[in-house]
Amino acid sequence: SNMVSMDPKLVLVLVLAAALPVAITACNSCCTVSNVKVTKAGDSVKPQESGAYGATDVQSHFFQVDENHYIKNTEASFACVDARGDSPYLMTPGGDYAELSDGIYVFANVTGIKLNSTSISHIFRNFVQKVASPKRPFYFHTDESKLGSLFAAVSNAGIKPKPVVFPAVMPADPKAAAIWLQYLSKAEYQGCGHVRLMLYKPLEYGLSSNYVPQELIKQFFAYWWPTPVGSPERKRIKFSIKRGPLQGKAVAIVKNEGPGCEGYTPKSFAAHHGSSVFVYHQTAVADFRAKVLAPFFSEMAKQTFFTGKPLQFNQAQFIKKMDTLAGAQLGYTINNLYPADSVGLFSVDYTTKYNASLSDE
């Protein structure tokens, strides 16, 4: 198994929290912030951007918010760490899409199955039906500038007239649909920097090739895009299109330190009120991998779909490989994606109070 080892500089930051105790059945609004502690966790590998945030600035970014929405780690969508995110989310590099892509890769690695478009489609559709929901949609994003380049590319490939807006519904003509899916899954048209680098440099990202992430993008669009606007399929999907350049001034690793509301994390705004940072909810996504992703793949392994009989699957081994792979990928992105590679790394620890008298009204 060719899993990469982690950048030692990041090991310190990424030492995963011990398995979290079972969460209290909290109402999300019973969780209140009593303190936000910010500590410098590392310097940028490249020369620091002028305007990069110090600890006080990072503190302001997280403290100057109207309210903190706590959510159970196992019930949250994961958006990307992308510094343009202007809605409150829990975040991980590449969002739900990258977590599932890594999960599929590790699943094949530990079970020995050969992946193809049929098996990747099968896993994706199962995940969207069993884990995603209208309340917890599956997240994937691009941006306007890459969409502009994509429109030019599909136009050159025969889509006429040249698109000026992403079509609401996938073209019904199979040839046109195939052109769109081919270009939507190419590295150069990814508006997510983490995904773009992963497709360009799979080996640096601990993958033997870019087949899984590329095929998963095709399956993502093939699932919801041909369906009518307002369809049940679309309600399970969050396809986000970011505006403007990436201008994150810090990389923040956010977690709930307790003592209240264990298993819950405050959603963050990557961008709000004129400020922009990259945000990674480290313990929340570790919780998601252990308590949502691993059990999902454990269920997949029981199916006879892949080889005609159930597969051998070790959940603990899956979680360990998943955390190692994702940790190495995060490290590569932080060290190679501008401007994340030119700003400081900070730990942002929330002290949380649980107050049962605050109901969800």
Side-chain angles (χ1 to χ4, degrees):
S1 75
N2 56 347
M3 294 288 170
V4 286
S5 65
M6 215 185 294
D7 179 344
K9 179 162 82 53
L10 275 149
V11 171
L12 177 72
V13 183
L14 297 176
V15 170
L16 292 167
L20 295 171
V22 178
I24 42 169
T25 52
C27 61
N28 299 355
S29 58
C30 294
C31 306
T32 55
V33 175
S34 51
N35 189 30
V36 180
K37 190 176 96 216
V38 176
T39 21
K40 184 82 180 272
D43 292 309
S44 56
V45 285
K46 313 258 165 76
Q48 179 140 314
E49 277 281 273
S50 67
Y53 286 175
T56 312
D57 306 319
V58 175
Q59 162 93 15
S60 298
H61 176 94
F62 287 97
F63 217 69
Q64 300 293 338
V65 292
D66 299 331
E67 56 184 318
N68 290 287
H69 294 278
Y70 278 74
I71 188 165
K72 199 170 181 180
N73 300 337
T74 54
E75 292 173 3
S77 294
F78 282 85
C80 183
V81 300
D82 190 291
R84 296 166 291 191
D86 53 7
S87 302
Y89 270 105
L90 298 190
M91 295 174 243
T92 187
D96 285 326
Y97 156 82
E99 291 295 321
L100 184 60
S101 178
D102 281 351
I104 293 170
Y105 185 82
V106 173
F107 179 67
N109 182 279
V110 301
T111 59
I113 60 163
K114 289 273 176 282
L115 292 167
N116 56 31
S117 60
T118 312
S119 53
I120 292 173
S121 163
H122 178 76
I123 294 170
F124 174 71
R125 284 162 188 261
N126 270 271
F127 187 88
V128 169
Q129 292 302 323
K130 290 171 180 166
V131 177
S133 69
K135 274 174 72 173
R136 186 252 176 265
F138 180 94
Y139 176 102
F140 176 73
H141 88 266
T142 187
D143 69 19
E144 285 185 348
S145 103
K146 290 295 187 278
L147 269 186
S149 311
L150 173 80
F151 296 159
V154 295
S155 166
N156 290 339
I159 302 290
K160 298 287 178 254
K162 182 188 162 194
V164 294
V165 62
F166 190 74
V169 179
M170 188 166 91
D173 169 40
K175 245 169 140 171
I179 292 172
W180 276 101
L181 292 179
Q182 183 195 346
Y183 285 89
L184 277 166
S185 61
K186 278 180 181 275
E188 57 263 48
Y189 305 117
Q190 301 311 313
C192 174
H194 180 77
V195 174
R196 185 166 64 248
L197 285 174
M198 186 189 292
L199 291 180
Y200 271 133
K201 303 185 165 189
L203 298 178
E204 305 279 11
Y205 277 75
L207 308 173
S208 52
S209 79
N210 66 12
Y211 177 72
V212 172
Q214 197 156 45
E215 187 57 41
L216 186 59
I217 295 171
K218 290 181 188 169
Q219 296 304 334
F220 169 81
F221 286 104
Y223 169 77
W224 67 268
W225 196 25
T227 66
V229 174
S231 70
E233 290 83 0
R234 286 175 182 245
K235 292 191 171 72
R236 294 174 176 270
I237 295 293
K238 172 67 179 165
F239 175 46
S240 179
I241 298 162
K242 307 288 183 202
R243 305 198 71 170
L246 258 184
Q247 292 172 327
K249 302 287 198 295
V251 176
I253 296 177
V254 174
K255 59 183 185 296
N256 172 15
E257 288 276 273
C261 302
E262 270 182 304
Y264 287 70
T265 303
K267 292 181 186 179
S268 300
F269 292 90
H272 74 99
H273 295 91
S275 178
S276 176
V277 300
F278 297 91
V279 185
Y280 175 50
H281 291 93
Q282 179 197 332
T283 47
V285 78
D287 225 9
F288 162 79
R289 288 176 199 144
K291 296 175 186 169
V292 178
L293 203 60
F296 165 76
F297 277 105
S298 188
E299 285 303 305
M300 287 283 93
K302 290 175 187 158
Q303 295 187 2
T304 56
F305 176 88
F306 301 98
T307 61
K309 55 179 194 281
L311 308 168
Q312 290 287 304
F313 180 77
N314 178 324
Q315 251 194 111
Q317 181 195 26
F318 172 87
I319 295 166
K320 196 175 168 189
K321 288 196 175 209
M322 185 74 201
D323 282 335
T324 304
L325 179 62
Q329 292 175 349
L330 171 76
Y332 193 85
T333 293
I334 286 177
N335 290 342
N336 294 277
L337 179 67
Y338 179 81
D341 58 4
S342 308
V343 296
L345 192 61
F346 297 85
S347 290
V348 179
D349 299 326
Y350 281 74
T351 310
T352 306
K353 248 183 9 212
Y354 173 67
N355 183 344
S357 66
L358 296 171
S359 74
D360 264 330
E361 294 318 303

